[in-house]
């Protein structure tokens, strides 16, 4: 078996980022419970913000007044903002999709908003992320061929309009630094559509490409096939970003197929539910069997949580609804993901990716006392 | 005007503590939202745990199995546990006070419990704090002379029984280190009772003394008078601890009257309500006027929050119900209290306490845009 795994460097306005990279999700201008200094200390150099949430609160004008999102949230690294499309479809109230864009109601106060390709580019220009995403529609799983095709064609037209707005803004943020616009390949799980979409978007010659419409409930095999269809056709020299993925094994699957970038709420959201990642599987620290377990989350982990705090203590914090509980598990899980990506990059550079993958998976899947992990990682 | 302000050092099993000292409250084995490493980095060397809460969850036996509360929560400094008396009277359900002790129902699950002087000493022996408190009754404000006297006499009998249990346990924790038992002066706001109580407890020759029954709604002048009556009679060479106090000005008032130790939920609880302390008064960051204020909480503050984050950002975190909001304000407020106590100690050593007090209060009370602060600092 040959691997398409590859390593590289993204040169962005605020950071150089080694790939393959995992980007933690900072929806509302914060990686929940952690400071930017801690996230940086965990070796992350790029994190996400969500355009939908930031537009509703605090609003792109306020962020621009602060000097952009980096400065607003005190983050020294790079940022990526999504297009808001996924949240409009999964989170907002009544919506109407038209050729021009999407009308929707805020999940916070019911107020009415319109996202168009142009307005989404303008919002992202003001927010000022290093990487901005074209406005897209993310169809549900499963989607039949007819619906998926209509949706894809609309997403392509929107991508053209996003590109035009981006070019006319001189490819720069309101604050003056370069932004990289990524197009999003759609087409649901239909091979002909995915191939058409990858070819079409490649023709727009954008700085990078994302694979959207996955991590929405499809089986791993379907996702892996879909990724394969896309990465085979996307330009070799541009970064490839698989949106909303995923578990450690999902990430290994996609790296093997030539994906460079990932984001997922799994390590952070699951942390807030007391679920922690270890080299030998996932544990839920709310489980009563940890009440008197005075060992660390993971005896092999080198993070500051594992060096000081026990499973029993962290369980007590969750039982007592103490803020420190999710804070400690979030830190540990992001340490785990950071170490995983570092291990992946090192293995690729040593030409040992498949061996790394094999030994990681063997141990990860073999734990006697591990729990089944939450597989759905995309943030609604 | 002469000042009774004094500085000193408490030599405890786990730390030497410079006084006057403020002790942050870690009710459920955590200073809410902060790690023990951060609390240590803020120069705190002693923090509180609440016997009532820790007895109910996780239970003193589990704490003892972990090797004591220090180890359970990963705290390298010293600890003080209260007697549980205050919480039994303010927080629990149905209760019956008898000569033997107090029957009460858990606020968590309604289960029935009995606290006696002996059981409270045994719980605190297992928890293993450096300083443990005698079981007392804290009468409400106002309390008439008759009730206050009955209650005080019972508290004295309980103090004798606590002392007997303490001596028979060889004054040591279950883990083997020395514990210091403090008696609690009661008597409400009646001078003759306070003087009787201070004399009575002094006769027990305990390692330290607390002034209880204050910070329960009485006017500042009444509190200051009551503190005066007690500190005048308590032995010069023993530490004096004013329970549940208070605001910066309350602390200055009491230091001036010879108090050495303080605890209060004010800086941490108010932080969780977006209220922050500055040299020129208290601000509530939820206020809309901070929405576009990109300056720090306090331009003169040297803490890591003020060096990186703005009022507008922290307000956004609170508006968005983000955990990082209370975390940042808690850190800032504990930095403020730590700096205040450091300033007080330094001033006392330079024989400049009254001058320090005067300039602090002048600035603190003069802020144009400061809010009125919450005066009630004791944790129910």
């Amino acid at each position: 078996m040959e691997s398409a795994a590859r390593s590289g460097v993204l040169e962005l306005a605020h950071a150089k980022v080694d790939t393959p990279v995992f980007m933690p999700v900072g929806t509302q201008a914060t990686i929940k419970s952690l400071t930017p200094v801690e996230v940086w200390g965990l070796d992350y150099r790029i994190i996400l913000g969500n355009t939908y949430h930031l537009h509703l609160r605090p609003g792109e004008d306020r962020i621009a007044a602060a000097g952009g999102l980096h400065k607003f949230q005190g983050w020294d690294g790079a940022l990526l903002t999504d297009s808001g499309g996924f949240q409009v479809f999964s989170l907002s109230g009544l919506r109407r999709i038209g050729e021009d864009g999407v009308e929707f109601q805020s999940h916070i106060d019911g107020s009415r908003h319109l996202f168009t390709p142009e307005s989404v580019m303008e919002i992202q220009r003001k927010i000022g992320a290093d990487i901005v995403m074209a406005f897209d529609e993310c169809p549900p799983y499963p989607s039949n061929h007819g619906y998926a095709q209509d949706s894809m064609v609309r997403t392509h037209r929107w991508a053209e309009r996003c590109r035009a707005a981006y070019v006319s803004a001189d490819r720069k943020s309101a604050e003056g630094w370069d932004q990289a616009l990524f197009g999003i390949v759609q087409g649901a799980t239909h091979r002909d559509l995915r191939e058409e979409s990858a070819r079409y978007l490649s023709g727009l010659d954008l700085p990078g490409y994302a694979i959207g419409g996955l991590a929405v409930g499809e089986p791993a095999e379907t996702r892996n096939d879909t990724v394969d269809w896309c990465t085979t056709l996307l330009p070799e020299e541009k970064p490839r970003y698989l949106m909303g993925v995923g578990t450690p094994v999902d990430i290994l699957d996609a790296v093997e197929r030539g994906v460079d970038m990932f984001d997922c709420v799994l390590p952070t959201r699951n942390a807030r539910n007391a679920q922690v990642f270890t080299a030998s599987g996932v544990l839920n620290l709310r489980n009563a069997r940890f009440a008197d377990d005075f060992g660390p989350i993971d005896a092999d982990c080198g993070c500051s949580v594992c060096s000081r705090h026990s499973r029993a203590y962290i369980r007590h914090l969750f039982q007592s609804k103490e803020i420190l509980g999710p804070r400690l598990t979030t830190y540990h899980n992001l340490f785990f993901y950071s170490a995983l990506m570092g291990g992946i990059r090192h293995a690729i550079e040593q030409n040992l990716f498949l061996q790394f993958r094999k030994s990681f998976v063997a141990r990860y899947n073999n734990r006697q006392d591990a729990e089944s992990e939450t597989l759905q990682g995309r943030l609604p």
Side-chain angles (χ1 to χ4, degrees), chain A:
Chain A
M1 187 164 80
E2 205 185 332
S3 158
R6 59 193 213 162
S7 65
V9 181
L10 299 176
E11 305 212 353
L12 303 171
H14 287 82
K16 290 188 181 185
V17 177
D18 294 324
T19 64
V21 64
F22 177 81
M23 304 178 286
V25 180
T27 298
Q28 303 191 110
T30 163
I31 305 294
K32 288 183 194 304
S33 84
L34 300 187
T35 63
V37 171
E38 283 172 331
V39 176
W40 181 273
L42 285 163
D43 281 343
Y44 292 100
R45 294 295 175 267
I46 181 168
I47 63 176
L48 250 70
N50 285 115
T51 293
Y52 168 89
H53 291 87
L54 294 171
H55 168 66
L56 295 180
R57 191 172 53 198
E60 60 275 13
D61 289 326
R62 182 159 288 148
I63 291 171
L69 185 56
H70 304 73
K71 207 162 170 194
F72 181 69
Q73 72 183 83
W75 168 243
D76 296 331
L79 282 163
L80 181 151
T81 42
D82 64 2
S83 71
F86 185 79
Q87 280 73 30
V88 164
F89 290 103
S90 61
L91 194 57
S92 74
L94 289 176
R95 56 180 180 268
R96 197 185 55 78
I97 310 177
E99 179 57 29
D100 192 46
V102 184
E103 263 186 43
F104 64 94
Q105 279 191 295
S106 160
H107 74 290
I108 299 171
D109 62 7
S111 57
R112 292 186 171 278
H113 300 259
L114 174 67
F115 272 179
T116 65
E118 291 76 16
S119 76
V120 161
M121 291 310 294
E122 179 61 9
I123 294 168
Q124 293 188 86
R125 195 181 71 84
K126 288 180 174 172
I127 292 173
D130 302 76
I131 299 177
V132 297
M133 303 300 297
F135 191 53
D136 66 323
E137 184 190 336
C138 177
Y141 176 82
S143 285
N144 67 42
H145 194 278
Y147 182 85
Q149 187 166 32
D150 290 348
S151 166
M152 178 197 76
V153 170
R154 186 163 45 231
T155 288
H156 291 172
R157 285 191 298 258
W158 287 354
E160 297 257 20
R161 288 166 56 188
C162 285
R163 188 177 183 284
Y166 169 67
V167 169
S168 81
D170 207 19
R171 303 166 185 252
K172 290 196 190 308
S173 72
E175 298 79 12
W177 50 75
D178 289 339
Q179 294 187 300
L181 172 64
F182 279 32
I184 304 177
V185 178
Q186 291 289 355
T189 51
H190 306 286
R191 181 168 189 163
D192 63 320
L193 299 181
R194 285 287 178 176
E195 292 179 344
E196 182 184 338
S197 187
R199 284 201 186 89
Y200 185 91
L201 291 169
S202 299
L204 296 185
D205 193 25
L206 296 168
Y209 293 98
I211 303 169
L214 293 175
V216 290
E218 75 286 348
E221 201 185 319
T222 305
R223 180 169 61 252
N224 287 337
D225 288 345
T226 307
V227 168
D228 262 334
W229 304 330
C230 298
T231 53
T232 303
L233 293 171
L234 285 170
E236 185 73 17
E237 72 283 6
K238 302 284 177 72
R240 302 159 181 166
Y241 161 29
L242 179 54
M243 303 183 80
V245 168
T247 69
V249 176
D250 292 343
I251 288 174
L252 289 163
D253 282 348
V255 165
E256 191 178 335
R257 289 165 174 81
V259 173
D260 307 304
M261 302 165 65
F262 302 89
D263 81 283
C264 189
V265 297
L266 202 62
T268 46
R269 192 184 56 190
N270 288 23
R272 298 194 299 280
N273 201 28
Q275 199 173 74
V276 289
F277 290 85
T278 80
S280 36
V282 166
L283 307 174
N284 192 317
L285 295 181
R286 278 224 178 82
N287 197 308
R289 70 197 166 97
F290 298 121
D292 293 296
D293 184 340
F294 299 112
I297 294 174
D298 184 346
D300 294 337
C301 177
C303 87
S304 60
V305 174
C306 287
S307 72
R308 184 169 287 263
H309 297 296
S310 68
R311 293 169 170 185
Y313 179 59
I314 296 171
R315 178 177 188 275
H316 163 71
L317 294 175
F318 273 94
Q319 294 295 111
S320 306
K321 299 183 175 55
E322 284 284 355
I323 292 179
L324 187 59
R327 180 180 160 187
L328 296 181
T329 53
T330 299
Y331 187 92
H332 168 85
N333 282 357
L334 285 184
F335 184 96
F336 181 88
Y337 266 66
S338 179
L340 169 66
M341 301 313 292
I344 288 173
R345 287 193 300 270
H346 183 74
I348 292 172
E349 281 150 21
Q350 305 291 311
N351 235 339
L352 294 170
F353 173 74
L354 291 178
Q355 191 174 316
F356 174 88
R357 186 208 143 90
K358 189 176 167 187
S359 68
F360 178 92
V361 172
R363 188 167 175 207
Y364 189 76
N365 285 341
N366 233 348
R367 177 80 168 211
Q368 296 291 320
D369 64 356
E371 334 268 336
S372 65
E373 64 192 4
T374 307
L375 286 163
Q376 182 68 24
R378 193 113 186 228
L379 175 82

